[in-house]
Amino acid sequence: SEVHHTSHIKMAALCSVAPVVAKVPAVSTGKASKSSAMQVWNPTNNKFFETFSFLPPLSDQEIARQVQYLINNGWAPCIEFEGAGKAYCDTHGWSGLDSSINAGYYDNRYWVMWKLPMYGCTSPDEVLAEVRACTRAFPDCFIRVAGFDNIKQVQCSSFLAHRPANDRT
């Protein structure tokens, strides 16, 4: 009788109905209701370079906010540039290495540094001035800003700061 009573309690717990929670309407801009606003992945000539590269070009104010994030985290901003022929990485480059045995290796993932990393940088304005100088010197190159952690010796973040005017990717 006692075993039966315990089973009955377990079954009652399994069969109990959860309380109904009132549904709260999600916040919507109303744009999703239009089927034309629902874009899917475009597999044709879809080249992404760095964080935010899928967005329209960043304004100086948006770049400054991203640089401030790097500085706030103690990362040294580093400006890099590369021509269109080597900026985009969709294969393992010239080595022909098999990614199944060397995951994460890309021959052309390193871009040319514009000067040294900006150790001790305290203002986004310093970085914006260097991005402008790099753009004037190499207008047909992609330019990115990377955040370098000098303690861990790794790149922690990067984003595209300039896309050449003739780029169609």
Side-chain angles (χ1 to χ4, degrees):
S1 165
E2 192 173 317
V3 173
H4 182 279
H5 179 67
T6 305
S7 300
H8 178 69
I9 292 171
K10 286 181 185 175
M11 287 302 288
L14 291 174
C15 295
S16 66
V17 178
V20 177
V21 178
K23 292 184 179 180
V24 178
V27 176
S28 173
T29 61
K31 293 178 183 176
S33 62
K34 301 175 187 173
S35 63
S36 62
M38 296 182 200
Q39 184 176 355
V40 297
W41 178 263
N42 178 4
T44 307
N45 199 21
N46 199 5
K47 296 181 178 179
F48 297 135
F49 295 87
E50 298 295 328
T51 306
F52 307 132
S53 69
F54 61 92
L55 296 173
L58 299 176
S59 68
D60 283 356
Q61 183 181 12
E62 291 167 327
I63 292 171
R65 284 196 304 244
Q66 295 306 315
V67 171
Q68 189 62 56
Y69 176 81
L70 302 178
I71 294 169
N72 290 349
N73 281 287
W75 302 333
C78 180
I79 299 166
E80 300 173 329
F81 65 98
E82 190 59 75
K86 293 184 181 176
Y88 180 67
C89 200
D90 65 350
T91 68
H92 288 285
W94 309 280
S95 69
L97 290 174
D98 181 3
S99 65
S100 66
I101 58 172
N102 291 309
Y105 177 80
Y106 297 93
D107 283 338
N108 58 346
R109 68 181 167 166
Y110 297 105
W111 290 12
V112 179
M113 271 202 309
W114 170 258
K115 302 183 180 179
L116 294 174
M118 300 177 73
Y119 299 112
C121 176
T122 58
S123 169
D125 293 331
E126 297 173 62
V127 177
L128 282 169
E130 291 300 329
V131 168
R132 287 186 201 108
C134 186
T135 302
R136 281 191 304 274
F138 300 100
D140 295 330
C141 288
F142 290 88
I143 300 171
R144 68 181 175 194
V145 177
F148 184 72
D149 186 326
N150 65 328
I151 305 298
K152 296 177 183 172
Q153 297 289 301
V154 296
Q155 177 179 310
C156 297
S157 177
S158 66
F159 62 92
L160 202 59
H162 171 77
R163 189 183 289 265
N166 63 354
D167 177 58
R168 299 291 174 243
T169 56

